[in-house]
């Protein structure tokens, strides 16, 4: 009798049991053996002419699928619906040797025992199809996907959703900025119209603010004017005091024409902005931009006038600003960027209060900037305050304090030679005080810099003081930096004191080399 695969099964082979199969019969092979104890409907054995026998586990194979695919399971693997015990799909090999495709996986759902794979089943044992909720793509999601995947996307493609797309993430914000940069005037106007409709929300948004920065940088003069008019309507102060809005105003100061900058500066509230963590950045940028305008080839008297307006506000509040966390930054920018006359005016105001700044948490930075940028008479004032002025802690006390020690170190490194010599002369009057400073966790840096920057006889005096007390300093952990500077100085002095000598070799008078040897 021929099987469904066309092979004769009417023979015996290796004690295997063969069963006749007919397409009109039941869905499953019928047979029995000692393992299934007569459960013919749910077990079968199948043998091939090559002598291979496959014994399946109960209720594991849909034979309609099996024969339609012409499947044959090799005996080396335990099969479950065409998948091995390792969960990997196996190829079906026809008894004739041909490799046939795998059965479709949907036959899992036709098996009453599919619950053994961990899927929920009903009372009949059939799998309950999992409910897959429907997923609806919103227009915003569709627009975001479009601009991220389509290199030819423009703002026209998302005309009604520009303000929403720009706020999604950094990549969408950069897309809008790029289109404003490379797009034509119509595309820029489209971006402007969209931004004005949500101005208050976008200008303070982490990603939306870049839309306005791009318009200010790449937009036409007309676009910039329309945009600034909208800013004035909602209030420049509100924008400047926001962490993202202040960046937009800084961009406006850099990109607007001088007339636009002057109008913008007139709307600033200097004192309020200086004390604000965001507004102080606007004032710093304002000083830089106005200084640039005033230093142009022909000069700009209006820029000088506007800058003087800012400088006057700083001088009037020089002590509060210098001792403020954000105000000290503004004072330093005014020293760095202002014209000479305006810078000197600020420095003069600082010297009047330098004794109150020297040990201040923020004021010490202002004094350090004065040391770097100030004129000689400004340095004389600060140096005299540290050395001689009554009511100010002594030099040795200032060197031990956290903030004033920075100013003392700045004087040692940043002043001219005659100022430095005056400072060292005051230190060398008290050798015991120098040794005490060398042991201190903060003041040891002052001694180290003094040793490294001293010149002439003062360098030798520092060397003698440290050399005489070296044995005492070795036991103090903070003095190691002083000893390192001392060792370096020791090598320098040793090299400078070694006399130049000529080494000669004694030669016997009878030696032939004696003729060419110069006299020693």
């Amino acid at each position: 009798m021929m099987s469904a695969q066309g092979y004769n099964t009417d023979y015996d082979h290796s004690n295997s049991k063969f069963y006749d199969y007919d397409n009109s019969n039941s869905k499953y092979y019928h047979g029995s053996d000692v393992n299934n104890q007569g459960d013919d409907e749910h077990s079968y054995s199948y043998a091939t002419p090559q002598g291979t026998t496959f014994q399946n586990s109960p209720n594991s194979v849909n034979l309609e699928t099996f024969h339609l695919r012409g499947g044959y399971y090799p005996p080396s693997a335990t099969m479950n619906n065409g998948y091995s015990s390792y969960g990997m799909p196996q190829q079906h090999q026809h008894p004739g040797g041909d490799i046939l495709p795998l059965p479709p996986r949907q036959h899992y759902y036709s098996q009453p025992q599919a619950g053994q794979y961990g899927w929920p089943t009903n009372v009949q044992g059939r799998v309950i199809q999992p409910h897959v909720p429907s997923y609806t793509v919103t227009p915003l999601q569709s627009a975001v996907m479009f601009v991220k995947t389509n290199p030819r996307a423009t703002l026209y493609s998302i005309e009604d959703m520009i303000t929403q797309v720009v706020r999604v993430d950094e990549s969408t914000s950069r897309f809008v900025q790029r289109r404003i940069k490379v797009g034509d005037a119509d595309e820029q106007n489209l971006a402007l119209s969209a931004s004005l409709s949500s101005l208050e929300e976008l200008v303070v948004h982490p990603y939306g603010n870049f839309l306005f920065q791009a318009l200010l940088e790449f937009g036409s003069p007309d676009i910039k004017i329309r945009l600034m008019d909208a800013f004035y309507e909602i209030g420049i102060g509100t924008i400047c005091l926001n962490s993202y809005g202040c960046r937009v105003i800084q961009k406006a100061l850099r990109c607007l024409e001088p007339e636009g900058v002057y109008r913008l500066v007139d709307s600033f509230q200097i004192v309020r902005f200086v004390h604000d963590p965001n507004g102080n950045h606007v004032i710093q940028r304002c000083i830089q931009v106005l200084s640039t305008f005033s230093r142009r080839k022909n000069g700009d008297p209006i820029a000088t006038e506007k800058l003087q307006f800012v400088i006057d506000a700083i001088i009037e509040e020089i002590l509060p600003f210098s001792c403020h966390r954000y105000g000290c930054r503004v004072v330093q920018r005014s020293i760095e960027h202002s014209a000479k006359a305006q810078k000197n005016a600020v420095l003069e105001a600082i010297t009047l209060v330098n004794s109150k700044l020297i040990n201040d948490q923020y004021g010490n930075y202002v004094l350090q900037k004065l040391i770097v940028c100030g004129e000689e008479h400004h340095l004389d004032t600060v140096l005299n305050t540290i050395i001689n002025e009554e009511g100010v802690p002594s030099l040795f006390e200032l060197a031990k304090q956290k903030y004033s020690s920075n100013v003392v170190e700045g004087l040692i490194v940043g002043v001219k030679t005659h100022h430095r010599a005056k400072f060292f002369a005051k230190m060398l009057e008290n050798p015991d005080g120098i040794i005490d400073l060398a042991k201190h966790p903060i003041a040891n840096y002052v001694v180290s810099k003094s040793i490294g920057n001293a010149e002439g006889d003062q360098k030798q005096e520092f060397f003698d003081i440290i050399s005489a007390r070296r044995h005492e300093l070795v036991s103090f952990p903070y003095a190691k930096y002083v000893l390192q500077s001392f060792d370096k100085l020791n090598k320098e002095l040793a090299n400078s004191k070694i006399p130049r000598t000529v080494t000669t070799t004694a030669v016997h008078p009878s030696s032939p080399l004696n003729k060419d040897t110069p006299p020693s």
Side-chain angles (χ1 to χ4, degrees), residues 58-76:
N59 299 328
S60 61
V61 177
N62 183 328
L63 294 183
E64 289 179 355
T65 303
F66 183 85
H67 275 281
L68 287 174
R69 293 288 181 179
Y72 163 67
Y73 295 99
S76 59

Side-chain angles (χ1 to χ4, degrees), residues 55 114 116-117 160 189 197 287 292 295-296 309 319 321 343 346 367-368 382 388 396 419 453 465 473 482 490 495:
Q55 178 70 43
Q116 63 183 312
Y117 300 99
D160 299 330
N189 285 319
S197 64
I287 294 172
T292 302
R295 287 197 299 266
R296 286 179 175 176
F309 166 73
L319 183 59
F321 283 2
K343 180 180 75 172
V346 176
L367 277 186
Q368 291 182 64
V382 176
N388 299 320
F396 295 93
H419 290 124
N453 290 275
I465 293 172
L473 296 176
V482 175
N490 188 18
N495 292 334

